[in-house]
């Protein structure tokens, strides 16, 4: 009996000492190191304000600074060490080539620093997909770059900006996002910069890759990826904007019933070096427009056949003899993204065969 009492006392003492040792060890171990994420703010709805809490249209974009955006989401500090820079303060319909070049150069400078693990770019939604694709082609790092926005201003009931920003920071600091190209994070979804597009004028679920699908979800504070982009991007591309101050002028001519040559001729006369024809169907060339496009090509303008449809591949030598016309088929890129790739292609070459290979690569 005495032995049993001694055994129980000894076991209790051992258990107590073990718990004390574990607690002491936990106190002396350093906390898990948080990633360092820089937020580059450019304006947009996520930084917008409305007259009332129910104002979700007719608000003023780009009024809230990056500091206030960060302070509005204190939970961010639990997932990353965050710093912010106000790069621009504009509505994204005013985003220009000069903004893209400045933004890309700043992103590349930051990502070259060992103490920066990822970047989040807050952006208006109107041209968000274009900025994301441009960066997808010119960023020279495998570190995550996440472009984020919102469909409701910061003052609105159920504003989506705070959770979108939190998810974007979480994603930019996650090792799972490494090497996947520039990402877009809204509505708890992870999208590829190349594939995503804005599909609705006002709803929160507007950003979709309807043809090929999203890359994954963000749920419960963790990113879940289900597929990878297969087209080359970021460090795999041949495009370098570090020494560029301007980009070649490339314009888009939109096709429609009864369309004539006026738009094509005017754009060429304005000095366009490249022209994306947003054709009907499979990039078809209306009879009244074909001569103007052919004449433009003979003047040295690079012509890319795209489609206004929004999905599908524009087949080379399908609805037009591209070989004979010396045109480029735009693959499945939207007209606005075909414009971006053509601009960058023209910084390297004017050879249509080489440009066609780029459209099959990026």
């Amino acid at each position: 009996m005495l032995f049993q009492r001694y055994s129980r006392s000894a076991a209790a003492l051992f258990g107590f000492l073990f718990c004390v040792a574990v607690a002491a060890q936990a106190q002396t171990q350093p906390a898990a190191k948080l990633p360092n994420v820089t937020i580059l703010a450019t304006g947009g709805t996520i930084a917008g304000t409305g007259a009332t809490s129910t104002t979700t249209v007719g608000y003023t974009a780009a009024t809230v600074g990056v500091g206030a955006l960060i302070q509005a989401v204190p939970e961010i500090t639990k997932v990353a060490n965050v710093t912010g820079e106000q790069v621009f303060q504009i509505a994204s319909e005013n985003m220009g080539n000069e903004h893209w070049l400045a933004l890309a150069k700043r992103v590349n400078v930051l990502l070259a620093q060992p103490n920066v693990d990822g970047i989040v770019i807050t952006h208006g939604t109107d041209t968000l997909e274009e900025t994301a694709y441009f960066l997808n082609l010119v960023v020279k790092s495998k570190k995550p770059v996440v472009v984020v926005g919102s469909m409701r201003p910061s003052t609105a009931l159920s504003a989506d900006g705070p959770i979108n920003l939190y998810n974007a920071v979480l994603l930019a600091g996650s090792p799972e996002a490494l090497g996947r190209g520039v990402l877009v994070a809204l509505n708890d979804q992870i999208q590829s910069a190349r594939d995503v597009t804005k599909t609705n004028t006002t709803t929160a679920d507007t950003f979709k890759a309807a043809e090929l699908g999203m890359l994954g979800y963000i749920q419960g504070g963790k990113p879940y990826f289900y597929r990878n982009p297969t087209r080359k991007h970021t460090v795999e591309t041949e495009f370098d904007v570090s020494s560029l101050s301007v980009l070649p002028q490339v314009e888009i001519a939109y096709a429609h019933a009864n369309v004539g040559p006026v738009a094509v001729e005017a754009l060429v006369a304005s000095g366009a070096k490249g022209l994306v024809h947003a054709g009907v169907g499979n990039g078809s060339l209306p009879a009244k427009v074909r001569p103007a496009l052919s004449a433009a090509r003979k003047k040295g303008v690079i012509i890319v056949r795209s489609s206004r449809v929004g999905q599908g591949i524009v087949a080379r030598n399908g609805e037009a003899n591209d070989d004979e016309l010396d045109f480029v088929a735009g693959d499945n890129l939207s007209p606005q993204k075909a414009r971006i790739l053509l601009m960058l292609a023209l910084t390297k070459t004017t050879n249509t065969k080489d440009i066609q290979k780029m459209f099959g690569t990026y």
Side-chain angles (χ1 to χ4, degrees):
M1 182 69 69
L2 181 63
F3 176 75
Q4 289 178 339
R5 290 177 181 174
Y6 173 78
S7 297
R8 286 196 295 268
S9 298
L13 178 61
F14 176 79
F16 172 74
L17 293 174
F18 177 77
C19 291
V20 170
V22 169
Q25 184 180 17
Q27 289 177 352
T28 57
Q29 286 181 344
K33 182 177 181 294
L34 292 177
N36 299 317
V37 175
T38 299
I39 298 176
L40 300 180
T42 70
T45 297
I46 195 171
T49 52
T52 70
S53 62
T54 57
T55 301
T56 57
V57 294
Y59 53 84
T60 303
T63 60
V64 179
V66 65
L69 288 178
I70 295 172
Q71 290 174 8
V73 193
E75 296 83 359
I76 283 178
T77 60
K78 297 178 182 179
V79 296
N81 300 313
V82 175
T83 57
E85 295 182 18
Q86 193 73 49
V87 185
F88 318 118
Q89 186 68 296
I90 60 174
S92 71
E93 65 265 26
N94 298 319
M95 190 68 64
N97 293 353
E98 67 279 12
H99 298 107
W100 283 348
L101 288 172
L103 184 59
K105 290 174 183 178
R106 185 59 183 150
V107 168
N108 281 328
V109 166
L110 287 170
L111 292 181
Q113 299 176 10
N115 62 339
V116 175
D117 299 307
I119 287 179
V120 168
I121 299 168
T122 62
H123 200 287
T125 58
D126 285 353
T127 59
L128 185 150
E129 67 198 74
E130 294 174 68
T131 296
Y133 185 54
F134 178 79
L135 294 173
N136 198 52
L137 295 173
V138 301
V139 166
K140 295 305 174 188
S141 175
K142 291 185 178 182
K143 295 178 183 179
V145 175
V146 182
V147 188
V148 65
S150 74
M151 292 302 294
R152 298 170 185 148
S154 63
T155 51
L157 288 172
S158 300
D160 52 332
I163 187 61
N164 286 347
L165 183 59
Y166 174 83
N167 282 341
V169 170
L170 179 88
L171 184 60
S174 68
E176 293 90 344
L178 285 166
R180 298 183 192 263
V182 173
L183 304 172
V184 172
L186 289 92
N187 202 40
D188 298 334
Q189 298 174 347
I190 307 169
Q191 305 278 3
S192 166
R194 185 187 187 277
D195 301 332
V196 73
T197 191
K198 187 174 182 178
T199 64
N200 188 285
T201 56
T202 58
T203 62
D205 63 345
T206 178
F207 280 91
K208 299 180 185 296
E211 187 171 15
L212 299 173
M214 71 182 82
L215 300 184
Y217 296 98
I218 301 171
Q219 187 182 82
K222 180 178 174 59
Y224 294 87
F225 284 92
Y226 294 90
R227 71 178 185 90
N228 280 322
T230 59
R231 292 300 179 95
K232 290 185 177 181
H233 54 73
T234 56
V235 295
E236 302 169 327
T237 79
E238 61 204 273
F239 306 119
D240 180 5
V241 298
S242 59
S243 61
L244 295 180
S245 57
V246 294
L247 291 168
Q249 182 185 345
V250 175
E251 306 289 353
I252 300 173
Y254 196 88
H256 52 84
N258 198 49
V259 65
V262 174
V264 171
E265 292 171 348
L267 293 172
V268 172
S270 75
K273 304 301 180 185
L275 189 64
V276 176
H277 181 254
V280 293
N282 191 9
S284 301
L285 303 180
K288 295 179 181 178
V289 177
R290 183 189 296 257
L293 291 171
S294 181
R297 179 68 197 104
K298 290 174 182 176
K299 293 179 181 178
V301 179
I302 304 297
I303 308 297
V304 171
R305 284 195 310 112
S306 182
S307 173
R308 70 180 198 180
V309 170
Q311 296 186 47
I313 300 170
V314 173
R316 183 167 179 83
N317 296 319
E319 295 300 315
N321 190 330
D322 294 307
D323 290 341
E324 180 181 308
L325 293 167
D326 199 26
F327 288 177
V328 175
D331 196 75
N332 72 332
L333 287 176
S334 65
Q336 59 268 32
K337 290 185 179 178
R339 171 184 170 268
I340 291 167
L341 181 52
L342 181 54
M343 278 196 307
L344 290 170
L346 288 173
T347 67
K348 305 292 291 185
T349 182
T350 57
N351 184 296
T352 55
K353 291 183 174 59
D354 292 337
I355 295 174
Q356 185 68 73
K357 289 179 182 177
M358 293 176 187
F359 272 81
T361 302
Y362 308 116

